[in-house]
Amino acid sequence: MNWILELPYERPPKGLSANYRGHWAPKAKSTAEVRALVVTLARNAAIPTMGRMQVELVWVVTDNRKRDADNVFPLLKVAADGLASDRGVSAHVVPDDSPEWCVKIAPRIEKRDGETAHFELIVTDITHRPEQVDQLTKERLT
């Protein structure tokens, strides 16, 4: 099962682009705002607690301007923290956003005519998917 959470930003919030080189305060403000929004959206969508999840970020755009999907990795990280952080503001969908609980798919850009630019956070329950687990993780789980 999957859920699509719509983030109403036309471009990454200030500080949440890989190219940002400004003061830390705008980044901290954007981080807090996005995390709180993701928690609210996840709760409104009734996303349940699960064993493992996959998170993907899609930047929906309306024109053909050149953009780099790699630049929105910081936004993906903040959104994943909002779903799965073990501390701070979080929806606690999984215990943590580490690889044993959360698979993050590289962001992508999709052009869609007739829509407003925004981001979509796609959350998929992958509890049923077997995954190779390293020895350290096996020891922690047993």
Side-chain angles (χ1 to χ4, degrees):
M1 174 143 201
N2 67 355
W3 297 263
I4 300 174
L5 307 179
E6 188 173 316
L7 307 179
Y9 307 106
E10 292 184 17
R11 63 188 57 85
K14 190 164 189 168
L16 297 181
S17 167
N19 290 329
Y20 183 72
R21 300 292 181 261
H23 194 268
W24 62 267
K27 179 181 178 183
K29 182 179 178 187
S30 293
T31 296
E33 177 186 297
V34 170
R35 278 183 78 151
L37 175 62
V38 168
V39 169
T40 300
L41 293 172
R43 289 179 179 159
N44 289 345
I47 299 177
T49 301
M50 56 188 78
R52 293 184 78 230
M53 73 174 178
Q54 175 179 290
V55 182
E56 181 178 8
L57 186 66
V58 179
W59 187 359
V60 177
V61 299
T62 59
D63 59 38
N64 290 320
R65 282 187 294 161
K66 195 172 180 181
R67 295 173 177 88
D68 186 353
D70 290 347
N71 286 336
V72 296
F73 267 105
L75 178 57
L76 173 62
K77 185 195 179 342
V78 169
D81 285 344
L83 291 168
S85 180
D86 61 345
R87 57 191 166 286
V89 176
S90 172
H92 303 290
V93 174
V94 294
D96 189 36
D97 69 333
S98 62
E100 69 186 270
W101 309 106
C102 178
V103 175
K104 295 176 194 134
I105 303 297
R108 63 187 165 90
I109 299 172
E110 220 175 83
K111 182 181 182 273
R112 294 187 199 159
D113 295 323
E115 289 193 35
T116 305
H118 64 279
F119 288 89
E120 291 178 350
L121 187 64
I122 304 168
V123 182
T124 305
D125 184 351
I126 59 167
T127 304
H128 64 284
R129 289 189 197 164
E131 190 73 26
Q132 285 189 334
V133 181
D134 66 340
Q135 188 60 38
L136 181 61
T137 303
K138 282 181 186 176
E139 290 169 7
R140 279 190 279 174
L141 294 176
T142 56

